[in-house]
Amino acid sequence: MGRAGLTSAKVIAAAVRLADEDPGPLTLKQVAARLGVREPSLYQHVAGLEGLRRGVARHAKRELAAVLTAAAVGRAGDEAVGAMAQALRTWAHAHPGQYRAAERAPAAGDGDDERASAQAVAVVAQVLAGYGLAGDHLVDAVRFLRAALHGFIRLEASGGFGMSRPAGASFEQLVAAATHALRHWPGATP
């Protein structure tokens, strides 16, 4: 029998903390040790390692959606994109394990994961719709912005920027270039 009071939510919360603390792959053994239980006890609360990782990803995606929403509230256009970009970068630095987990596409057939993924994408899509984008143009713009921000954040996190200019200054330029591109995106209406 597992430790009294252990729940799926507590197991996922411990895994989320571990993911942010340790850049290596998350294991059931680590989570069990953190919770003071034996590894087999976790199977009562998560569907193995894959279930644990899906739980962390769902949690991270919900957190990301909340961070992006808070950044975008009361803003529109370039200002909203800039605020979301900076909030994403700050969150990614503070929560590297969750950031990596949030990259995962939703697991097929996992409705909770699909909804969590859709929440974060919906925030970005709503902001970009303010540029007059819809349909495939909007999808392409969401992917463009995500790829640009993600590439920068991942390179920065891995120590990929060795030049003397501060990374923050380059990030501001990237956001300025992205908003310029969005204002001139095919299908955008002023």
Side-chain angles (χ1 to χ4, degrees):
M1 178 178 228
R3 187 167 91 180
L6 193 61
T7 64
S8 295
K10 288 181 181 178
V11 171
I12 297 301
V16 165
R17 286 190 302 277
L18 277 167
D20 283 340
E21 293 168 9
D22 183 350
L26 185 64
T27 67
L28 288 167
K29 184 176 182 177
Q30 290 172 312
V31 176
R34 171 65 60 98
L35 293 169
V37 299
R38 293 182 330 126
E39 189 175 327
S41 299
L42 298 179
Y43 288 92
Q44 297 173 30
H45 306 287
V46 293
L49 183 58
E50 187 54 31
L52 182 71
R53 288 181 177 157
R54 278 196 318 269
V56 171
R58 286 189 302 264
H59 173 88
K61 291 169 186 179
R62 286 191 294 268
E63 288 292 314
L64 176 58
V67 164
L68 295 176
T69 299
V73 167
R75 296 179 170 95
D78 294 358
E79 183 184 6
V81 170
M84 285 192 317
Q86 193 56 46
L88 175 63
R89 181 174 176 239
T90 300
W91 183 77
H93 285 280
H95 304 284
Q98 289 185 72
Y99 181 74
R100 284 189 309 275
E103 294 171 356
R104 290 174 55 135
D110 185 339
D112 288 340
D113 195 7
E114 290 169 353
R115 283 185 292 281
S117 293
Q119 287 176 331
V121 172
V123 175
V124 177
Q126 287 173 345
V127 167
L128 298 189
Y131 288 94
L133 298 171
D136 289 345
H137 293 300
L138 179 59
V139 171
D140 293 342
V142 168
R143 288 177 176 165
F144 157 75
L145 185 61
R146 180 180 183 206
L149 297 176
H150 174 70
F152 190 99
I153 290 167
R154 290 292 289 213
L155 283 168
E156 183 178 25
S158 68
F161 297 139
M163 295 177 167
S164 62
R165 182 164 168 79
S170 295
F171 188 76
E172 288 176 15
Q173 288 299 310
L174 177 129
V175 172
T179 55
H180 175 81
L182 291 166
R183 286 191 308 275
H184 298 88
W185 201 262
T189 57

